Amino acid sequence: PFPLIVAGGLPPTQERFNHVTCDNEASGRLQARHLLEMGHREIVYVSHLVGMGSASPRTLGFRATLKEAGITNLDERLFTNSFDSLQSPVVLDRILTRWPGVTAIGFDNDPAAAHTIWMLLSRGIRVPEEISVIGMGPVHEGYDHPLRLTSIDGHPFEIGERAADLMIDC
């Protein structure tokens, strides 16, 4: 009986909701395109949507763009991480073991990307000279590092404004 607006995130698929979010698939495409334009070919992607695997829209866009560029082994280039383990080096260890020649890592969120920059630097790996990192955000206020984070902005304030307008219209 009440209007409901889902702002950002993913609404439950079994129900109809008024929904405002960024174009997540296009965001993944922008990330991959940027890395490819920088000359990277040894690229991997980290998604925090554990259980969705390659089905997350950001991951789908990223993968599709790599495939269009002739990059293979797409499943082997996907790593998953949960928000609970963002600060764990386990995923980074897996990436560096499985892809020792990796030159770029894409993330579907900024906190994991930012923390990975810190972990790479603490291991003596230069960012972006040796390994480039790109996130999807916006970059959170808590990111307090002199090295800038390359990120695709999800425009949360614009999403909130559109959601409020939609709520008023309802």
Side-chain angles (χ1 to χ4, degrees):
F2 300 100
L4 174 66
I5 311 294
V6 176
L10 300 171
T13 56
Q14 69 273 19
E15 311 251 351
R16 268 186 57 100
F17 284 93
N18 294 306
H19 184 240
V20 180
T21 192
C22 67
D23 187 339
N24 283 298
E25 187 172 338
S27 298
R29 285 183 172 278
L30 285 170
Q31 287 179 303
R33 204 171 298 131
H34 174 74
L35 295 174
L36 290 165
E37 288 170 0
M38 300 295 293
H40 294 287
R41 301 293 291 174
E42 296 301 319
I43 304 169
V44 299
Y45 195 72
V46 180
S47 173
H48 76 279
L49 297 173
V50 176
M52 286 191 73
S54 63
S56 75
R58 292 176 186 173
T59 305
L60 287 173
F62 197 93
R63 286 172 52 108
T65 303
L66 292 184
K67 184 176 181 179
E68 291 163 8
I71 296 199
T72 59
N73 303 31
L74 297 175
D75 290 337
E76 294 172 28
R77 295 173 184 271
L78 175 65
F79 296 82
T80 55
N81 198 16
S82 68
F83 272 125
D84 297 337
S85 61
L86 285 180
Q87 296 186 4
S88 168
V90 172
V91 171
L92 181 58
D93 290 341
R94 269 192 253 140
I95 290 169
L96 296 175
T97 299
R98 238 194 286 169
W99 289 93
V102 67
T103 63
I105 306 172
F107 288 87
D108 68 357
N109 65 84
D110 280 341
H115 193 75
T116 297
I117 289 173
W118 176 83
M119 286 192 293
L120 288 167
L121 292 172
S122 69
R123 294 174 183 209
I125 299 171
R126 296 174 303 142
V127 177
E129 295 84 2
E130 294 178 72
I131 298 180
S132 291
V133 176
I134 189 168
M136 169 66 188
V139 176
H140 292 270
E141 293 175 11
Y143 181 66
D144 184 24
H145 196 282
L147 185 65
R148 292 180 3 176
L149 170 63
T150 302
S151 177
I152 304 298
D153 193 348
H155 302 285
F157 294 105
E158 185 176 325
I159 289 172
E161 184 177 343
R162 288 187 184 183
D165 288 342
L166 184 57
M167 180 65 83
I168 290 167
D169 290 346
C170 287

